[in-house]
Amino acid sequence: MSGSHKPMRGLLIWGAVLALMAVPVAYAAASPLLSYRGGAYIVGGFAGIFCLALMVLQPLLAAGYLPGAGGPRGRLWHRWLGGMLTAGVVLHVAGLYVTSPPDTLDALLLVSPTPFSVYGVAAMWAVLLTALLAGLRRRIGLRPRLWQQVHAVLALVIAVSTVVHAVQIQGAMEPVTKWGLCLTVLAATGAALLDLRVLKPLRRWRDRRDTRPGRA
């Protein structure tokens, strides 16, 4: 591909990714169900929707798949979005608590009769634990390789739990676009984890093996 086509290709990729994120949010914003909800519930609910949308970007940035966002820049954006996700989760829970403290406490204590709440709480704790470890990993001496492995497991828990949580809720999100967003989150997370934690280490091992003395 010629150099003149690369910027256009990059714009198309970014446009497609942002459209996959924005269309479900736009449909949710147009939902007639919002007219029956209070302000705190709407803020909390949309904080959760925005978090789900941002989860499309997180693995793509971590793996360096997005044009212009590879290397240190992509990792920096990944950390920023991680902070935004953490804040969004806190806002999501706070909005629901203001709306209905008993229901929110039941969910946090895992005694809620709604099955989707268990997955939401699992995703919440995985997000908070990721943020905590990311902030303290140097102070507590968490080795980079171990951190990468722990981060990968937590990322998978977050993605799967959030998707299961979201698809079970019948709320403002339109079903078809919600399913599309959820499947995109799972696909992006799965592809990035497979690449970063399986394929790249395998390629590095193969390259080291091929460069050993006597294998020329």
Side-chain angles (χ1 to χ4, degrees):
M1 180 176 290
S2 66
S4 61
H5 290 163
K6 288 183 179 179
M8 180 59 67
R9 179 174 176 269
L11 288 175
L12 290 175
I13 292 174
W14 272 102
V17 171
L18 293 177
L20 286 169
M21 297 167 57
V23 169
V25 177
Y27 268 94
S31 172
L33 296 178
L34 297 180
S35 61
Y36 304 100
R37 299 295 189 179
Y41 183 91
I42 293 174
V43 170
F46 270 87
I49 295 172
F50 280 118
C51 284
L52 179 61
L54 289 176
M55 286 172 58
V56 174
L57 281 179
Q58 276 296 73
L60 301 180
L61 289 171
Y65 292 155
L66 294 173
R73 178 183 295 179
R75 291 191 291 271
L76 178 61
W77 291 2
H78 180 78
R79 289 193 293 269
W80 285 350
L81 282 184
M84 293 174 62
L85 276 170
T86 304
V89 167
V90 173
L91 185 59
H92 179 60
V93 175
L96 298 180
Y97 181 81
V98 171
T99 302
S100 179
D103 290 340
T104 306
L105 289 176
D106 284 349
L108 293 174
L109 295 174
L110 303 179
V111 295
S112 174
T114 54
F116 60 78
S117 63
V118 175
Y119 297 97
V121 171
M124 178 197 73
W125 284 118
V127 168
L128 296 179
L129 181 57
T130 301
L132 181 64
L133 290 176
L136 297 178
R137 64 190 181 94
R138 290 186 176 87
R139 187 173 302 176
I140 63 178
L142 189 61
R143 290 177 289 120
R145 188 170 183 178
L146 179 58
W147 159 243
Q148 291 168 2
Q149 294 170 345
V150 171
H151 190 13
V153 172
L154 289 172
L156 185 61
V157 171
I158 292 168
V160 173
S161 299
T162 301
V163 166
V164 176
H165 175 67
V167 298
Q168 292 188 70
I169 297 175
Q170 296 181 357
M173 295 192 75
E174 187 272 331
V176 174
T177 55
K178 176 171 68 174
W179 269 101
L181 180 59
C182 288
L183 291 176
T184 302
V185 168
L186 292 178
T189 303
L193 289 177
L194 178 64
D195 190 11
L196 293 173
R197 305 275 72 86
V198 178
L199 297 182
K200 285 186 177 179
L202 183 61
R203 286 194 292 268
R204 287 196 295 267
W205 173 82
R206 185 182 60 193
D207 292 342
R208 287 196 299 268
R209 183 197 62 181
D210 292 344
T211 55
R212 289 174 184 170
R215 297 191 65 89

